[in-house]
């Protein structure tokens, strides 16, 4: 089955890529979750708009990614959240909140889709999150969760 990816799928491709996958994987997983569209001749027109949106969000080149990495790793980022007694949060810290805090601190626009949180952050204190800036360039950011 031939599909056009609308979002990044690990091990398969990036948005705008045309990929060939097994019928069941495409029909039962990728298409229902909105990760891909069926490939058609009319769908090829969408590829250009998907790639244009992707390039506007992407880091320009490897040198720029290294520059952003040094800015992000240079200092700790603080996120203010509502917390109850004992340091437990009401919910979890979202990648959107982390992206906003990173953008304020570094002065660079950080896309929330590039932030990787291994375990949900549900307690006050220091945590580490990874930010995938470019192929092969990842920054590990010290995140300090403080009560609001």
């Amino acid at each position: 089955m031939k599909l056009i990816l609308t979002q990044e799928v690990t091990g398969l491709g990036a948005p705008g890529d045309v990929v060939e996958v097994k019928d069941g994987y495409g029909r039962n997983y990728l298409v229902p979750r909105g990760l891909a569209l069926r490939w058609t001749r009319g769908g090829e027109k969408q590829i250009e708009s998907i790639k244009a949106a992707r390039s506007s969000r992407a880091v320009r080149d490897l040198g720029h990614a290294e520059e952003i990495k040094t800015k992000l790793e240079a200092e700790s980022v603080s996120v203010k959240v509502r917390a109850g007694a004992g340091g437990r949060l009401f919910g979890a810290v979202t990648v959107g909140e982390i992206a906003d805090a990173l953008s304020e601190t570094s002065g660079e626009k950080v896309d929330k889709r590039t932030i990787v949180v291994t375990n949900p952050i549900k307690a006050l204190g220091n945590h580490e999150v990874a930010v995938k800036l470019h192929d092969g360039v990842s920054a590990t950011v010290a995140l300090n969760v403080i009560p609001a």
Side-chain angles (χ1 to χ4, degrees):
M1 172 182 272
K2 209 170 186 182
L3 297 173
I4 302 168
L5 295 178
T6 57
Q7 295 181 18
E8 184 169 344
V9 179
T10 306
L12 193 58
D17 290 349
V18 177
V19 294
E20 186 76 33
V21 296
K22 297 220 177 190
D23 291 345
Y25 182 55
R27 185 175 53 245
N28 298 327
Y29 183 78
L30 295 174
V31 174
R33 285 176 174 74
L35 300 174
L37 302 169
R38 290 185 184 271
W39 182 88
T40 60
R41 289 187 188 189
E44 280 190 23
K45 296 175 186 171
Q46 290 180 334
I47 294 173
E48 296 305 319
S49 64
I50 292 170
K51 286 187 177 183
R54 177 175 133 201
S55 66
S56 69
R57 286 191 309 264
V59 177
R60 289 191 304 264
D61 57 7
L62 190 60
H64 188 236
E66 291 290 342
E67 182 181 313
I68 294 173
K69 178 182 176 180
T70 56
K71 280 184 183 178
L72 292 177
E73 291 180 343
E75 55 190 82
S76 177
V77 178
S78 296
V79 176
K80 292 183 180 181
V81 294
R82 289 187 49 216
R88 299 276 301 162
L89 304 184
F90 298 120
V93 179
T94 64
V95 290
E97 293 170 333
I98 296 169
D100 292 341
L102 288 172
S103 296
E104 287 176 19
T105 304
S106 68
E108 294 284 340
K109 177 82 171 107
V110 178
D111 189 15
K112 69 181 184 180
R113 288 169 267 219
T114 61
I115 297 172
V116 179
V117 178
T118 53
N119 294 322
I121 300 172
K122 295 185 176 187
L124 297 175
N126 295 323
H127 303 276
E128 286 188 352
V129 294
V131 180
K132 185 179 177 192
L133 298 168
H134 199 271
D135 294 334
V137 178
S138 260
T140 303
V141 179
L143 185 69
N144 188 15
V145 180
I146 56 176

